Structures are given as structure tokens and as C-alpha cells.
């Protein structure tokens, strides 16, 4: 029986993830300790979002949740503590993520100075506003309006462990090093299925009533070339995927993993070890 082997949440877009043993599932993704997946984001002075594509050092910004505080650490800098309490007086600014503009709450000068120093570029931390609305592309979700915060496009990304193992076998055969799953930054990893079987799932069903639906294969960007522990850019595993993972469903782009939305079970808990029924779409 397939089961969940890893759960990871990314409180600040493109910064380090937090490995979890359980998380609340919401329509906009995983939630834990009062923090939602990609609820926060770094933007430049014009409000445009920042990612590891341009600033690979973001991988080294480590996040922890301590009570009502979000803490951020990186080498040679003091810890930054950010209150999780709602701030009605926060300045609202317009930010851009891909082609979408949304209103966000600015996290203040202390955070802006800290992140600017950490990344060596002027930037600000923003939080998704409770009044803002952003939805996944209905070309792929159909009649379902799937809300998301600052994820690239969809609230959840799921990958099968066997898919990574297949990639790493090919890498080793070419004299290259295996890569860990964190290069691909999934929220959910499942084991007990064949390599790339997640591509053909009709849904993911859990005994507690959670129902997830895969909606779009995930095209891969340059981020898998970034070592998520050091922030160093090396050989990209996407180069290996190019030989066998061009996907006609997304105009020949190289895909790895499935973007997923919640169909049923908002507010319920996902746990590592939960069994998952995975009917195949025929």
C-alpha cells in the first residue's frame, strides 16, 4: 500500500523547508503551528518576488517555528524573530509573483534590513494578506477554485520516492552524484509505488477522508541545481531528466512530480506513514 514518507512545508518562498511528521491540510496547502506553506515571500524594491533562481543563497535561510514566532537563521548572522500575530497596522504593498499582482503585508524594517544583508541585495519580507485572493490556473483545475499563497502556481507538490531513485540510478550510471529529494522541494513524498506512477494517478485518497487530485505535471526550473544545504549551484539533475522526461502535456517541458489540489478534507491532518489509495486514471 502506498504511504506518505515525507512532509515538508516552506513558510518563506524559496527559503529552506521544515520537515514535518504531520501537518494540517488546507485548500491553500500545508499548515503547521499557525504557519501556512509559502505564506511569506521576499520581494525586491519594485515588489517583484525573489527565488533561488537568482539568489541561490536563499536555500541557506533556515526557518523554525517557536510558539508565536517565526525564526530565521543563517551563518554569521543573529537570529531574526518575526511575530506570527496578525498586525493590523502592517503596511500593505502590491507585490508581483509571475504575472499576478496581489496585496501583501510588509513585515517591517527590521526584517527588510536582515534579509537584505543576508542576500546582499535590497529586499523586503512580505506576508500574504488575509484579504488577498490568488488561485491556481483553472485551465488545469477545471471547475475547482484552488487558492494558493505565494507558491509558483499550485498549493501542493507531490513526488514518488521511486521517481527520485530512478533519476539517481541514471545519474550514478553517468558518473554523477545522486541528489536528495530536497532539490525538487516537494510538499508530499510517497513510497510504495513505481517510478513516475504519480503521473497517472486519478486521485490520492486517505482513510481519514482527505482527497487530493493531481492536476498538472510540474515543469522543472533551474532550482534543482542548487544544493539546499550550502546554496551552491552545481550540475543540474534536470539535464538527466531531459533525456526521458519531456512531457507533451505541457508542450514538451521537462517534468518531475505532480501539482496537486485539495478536493476534500480541509482542516484534517496528514501524517508521515499514512496509507494512500492511488487509483490510476485510465
Amino acid at each position: 500500500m502506498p504511504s506518505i514518507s515525507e512532509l515538508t512545508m516552506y513558510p518563506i518562498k524559496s527559503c529552506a523547508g521544515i520537515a514535518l511528521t504531520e501537518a494540517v491540510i488546507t485548500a491553500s496547502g500545508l499548515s503547521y503551528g499557525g504557519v501556512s506553506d509559502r505564506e511569506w515571500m521576499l520581494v525586491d524594491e519594485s515588489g517583484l518576488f525573489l527565488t533561488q533562481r537568482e539568489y541561490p543563497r536563499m536555500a541557506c535561510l533556515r526557518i523554525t517555528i517557536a510558539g508565536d514566532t517565526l525564526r530565521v537563521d543563517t551563518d554569521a548572522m543573529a537570529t531574526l524573530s518575526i511575530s506570527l500575530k496578525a498586525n493590523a497596522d502592517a503596511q500593505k504593498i502590491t507585490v508581483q509573483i509571475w504575472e499576478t499582482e496581489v496585496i501583501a503585508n510588509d513585515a517591517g524594517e527590521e526584517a527588510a534590513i536582515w534579509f537584505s544583508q543576508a542576500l546582499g541585495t535590497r529586499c523586503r519580507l512580505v506576508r500574504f494578506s488575509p484579504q488577498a485572493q490568488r488561485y491556481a490556473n483553472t485551465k488545469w483545475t477545471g471547475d475547482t477554485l484552488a487558492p494558493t499563497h505565494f507558491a509558483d502556481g499550485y498549493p501542493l507538490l507531490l513526488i514518488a520516492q521511486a521517481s527520485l531513485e530512478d533519476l539517481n540510478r541514471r545519474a550514478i550510471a553517468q558518473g554523477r552524484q545522486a541528489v536528495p529529494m530536497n532539490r525538487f522541494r516537494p510538499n508530499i513524498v510517497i513510497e510504495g509505488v513505481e517510478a513516475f506512477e504519480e503521473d497517472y494517478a486519478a486521485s490520492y485518497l486517505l482513510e481519514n477522508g482527505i482527497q487530493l487530485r493531481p492536476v498538472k505535471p510540474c515543469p522543472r526550473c533551474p532550482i534543482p541545481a542548487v544544493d539546499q544545504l550550502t546554496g551552491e549551484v552545481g550540475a543540474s539533475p534536470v539535464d538527466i531528466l531531459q533525456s526521458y522526461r519531456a512531457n507533451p502535456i505541457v508542450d514538451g517541458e521537462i517534468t518531475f512530480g505532480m501539482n496537486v489540489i485539495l478536493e476534500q478534507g480541509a482542516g484534517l491532518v496528514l501524517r508521515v506513514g499514512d496509507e494512500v489509495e492511488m487509483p490510476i486514471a485510465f
Side-chain angles (χ1 to χ4, degrees):
M1 186 75 172
S3 64
I4 296 174
S5 58
E6 296 180 26
L7 291 170
T8 307
M9 184 178 70
Y10 307 89
I12 303 177
K13 182 178 180 64
S14 228
C15 295
I18 300 176
L20 303 171
T21 56
E22 65 179 42
V24 175
I25 187 78
T26 74
S28 55
L30 299 183
S31 177
Y32 178 83
V35 179
S36 297
D37 188 69
R38 296 173 175 92
E39 182 179 353
W40 306 76
M41 182 171 73
L42 292 169
V43 298
D44 66 14
E45 291 183 289
S46 68
L48 182 65
F49 74 115
L50 305 185
T51 74
Q52 290 182 34
R53 297 170 181 87
E54 303 83 20
Y55 299 96
R57 182 165 170 73
M58 291 177 72
C60 300
L61 303 183
R62 302 178 296 273
I63 317 297
T64 54
I65 301 168
D68 60 359
T69 301
L70 193 72
R71 294 180 179 174
V72 191
D73 288 283
T74 194
D75 295 342
M77 290 185 65
T79 299
L80 173 68
S81 295
I82 305 162
S83 175
L84 295 176
K85 295 179 180 179
N87 180 6
D89 297 325
Q91 180 183 0
K92 289 181 168 36
I93 62 174
T94 300
V95 300
Q96 181 177 349
I97 174 168
W98 299 113
E99 295 82 17
T100 305
E101 289 188 344
V102 295
I103 299 300
N105 293 341
D106 187 276
E109 290 302 320
E110 181 183 2
I113 292 169
W114 193 95
F115 282 103
S116 297
Q117 181 179 342
L119 296 181
T121 188
R122 291 179 65 86
C123 60
R124 303 193 71 83
L125 179 69
V126 298
R127 187 178 193 178
F128 198 84
S129 170
Q131 289 74 45
Q133 292 183 328
R134 182 170 177 255
Y135 296 99
N137 191 339
T138 53
K139 172 185 175 181
W140 297 96
T141 65
D143 293 335
T144 302
L145 277 180
T148 185
H149 291 142
F150 292 130
D152 273 355
Y154 297 86
L156 295 158
L157 176 63
L158 181 148
I159 300 176
Q161 180 64 36
S163 302
L164 179 71
E165 293 170 356
D166 179 273
L167 166 62
N168 281 333
R169 280 193 294 270
R170 296 169 187 263
I172 292 168
Q174 295 181 25
R176 295 173 57 168
Q177 291 187 337
V179 296
M181 184 66 84
N182 64 11
R183 293 290 188 97
F184 296 94
R185 299 177 64 82
N187 298 110
I188 304 171
V189 179
I190 59 172
E191 59 185 6
V193 300
E194 298 296 322
F196 305 110
E197 194 173 350
E198 69 270 33
D199 291 5
Y200 306 103
S203 59
Y204 305 97
L205 309 172
L206 283 81
E207 288 186 359
N208 65 357
I210 293 173
Q211 180 174 336
L212 306 172
R213 177 163 63 93
V215 293
K216 183 187 178 185
C218 183
R220 302 315 314 202
C221 69
I223 287 179
V226 180
D227 186 311
Q228 295 297 300
L229 295 180
T230 66
E232 296 177 355
V233 180
S236 175
V238 177
D239 296 345
I240 297 172
L241 293 171
Q242 286 178 342
S243 66
Y244 67 112
R245 291 294 298 170
N247 195 323
I249 296 175
V250 286
D251 300 323
E253 292 190 79
I254 308 306
T255 63
F256 191 83
M258 290 296 295
N259 290 300
V260 174
I261 64 174
L262 179 67
E263 291 276 79
Q264 183 175 304
L268 298 178
V269 177
L270 280 176
R271 293 181 175 85
V272 170
D274 279 353
E275 292 186 341
V276 182
E277 183 180 350
M278 197 179 83
I280 301 301
F282 291 102

